[in-house]
Amino acid sequence: MSYSPYPQWQPWQQGHGVPQPWAGQGVPSMLASHADRERAVDVLRAGYGEGRLEKPEFDRRVARAYAARTVGELALLVADLPQGPAAHAGHPVPAVPAVFLPAPRARVNGKAVASAVCGGLCLVTLGLTGIPAVILGHAARAEISRTGEAGDGLALTGLALGWLANGVWAVVMMLSFALALAFG
């Protein structure tokens, strides 16, 4: 018995459980793309993995899928296999329980981010952004407590750095004023 890469049925034979072309897949004579061939091979792999195909038949069909020229040839190779998950008639698909859904993330308050940025820039600007950091930090904490947004840590960081910079400026100004009075 000789080995044939083609199945025992032929596309022109009707009936007897012979797979028929996909319905609604465009023109069967349309040339197949690489993506079409890969999709057909994926369907074949799934069928083989589920035990619907035996290894020799799977190998023959994969070889024919890669050699197929038209979409109709690919359709015939996978016509007797499920095309993926399909809803069963009469059985509604249950919704995903809320436990398995991703938790919604709270939006980060923009003023808190700006306060942290201004507080961080206090080191570079020699404390000039300290006052905006404090103002934005207090405004952000008020909004966060009212709206439930995220970013309280950012607002506290901006407040701490802003007050530290303002304190350093206050000490520098008092020392310079005292020195001016003492030596002035």
Side-chain angles (χ1 to χ4, degrees), residues 1-88:
M1 187 161 130
S2 66
Y3 171 74
S4 172
Y6 303 105
Q8 300 303 320
W9 50 269
Q10 295 298 323
W12 56 84
Q13 296 173 336
Q14 298 293 322
H16 305 338
V18 175
Q20 298 302 314
W22 281 324
Q25 289 294 323
V27 180
S29 62
M30 182 173 60
L31 293 177
S33 68
H34 294 300
D36 294 330
R37 290 182 192 93
E38 289 300 325
R39 277 192 295 270
V41 170
D42 287 341
V43 171
L44 292 171
R45 282 188 189 121
Y48 176 68
E50 294 169 352
R52 297 177 191 273
L53 297 173
E54 304 234 344
K55 180 69 172 153
E57 182 181 5
F58 169 72
D59 291 336
R60 282 194 306 269
R61 287 191 187 198
V62 168
R64 284 200 60 199
Y66 284 125
R69 295 267 305 141
T70 65
V71 174
E73 292 174 43
L74 293 174
L76 290 172
L77 292 173
V78 297
D80 59 342
L81 296 173
Q83 303 298 312
H88 297 289

Side-chain angles (χ1 to χ4, degrees), residues 120-133:
L121 288 176
C122 285
L123 304 173
V124 179
T125 62
L126 302 175
L128 293 177
T129 57
I131 293 174

Side-chain angles (χ1 to χ4, degrees), residues 92 130 149:
E149 292 177 314

Side-chain angles (χ1 to χ4, degrees), residues 100-146:
F100 298 113
L101 293 176
R105 292 182 130 198
R107 197 174 78 96
V108 177
N109 186 287
K111 290 180 183 172
V113 173
S115 173
V117 168
C118 287
L121 288 176
C122 285
L123 304 173
V124 179
T125 62
L126 302 175
L128 293 177
T129 57
I131 293 174
V134 170
I135 293 170
L136 288 169
H138 283 295
R141 294 212 52 202
E143 282 184 17
I144 288 170
S145 66
R146 188 177 67 247

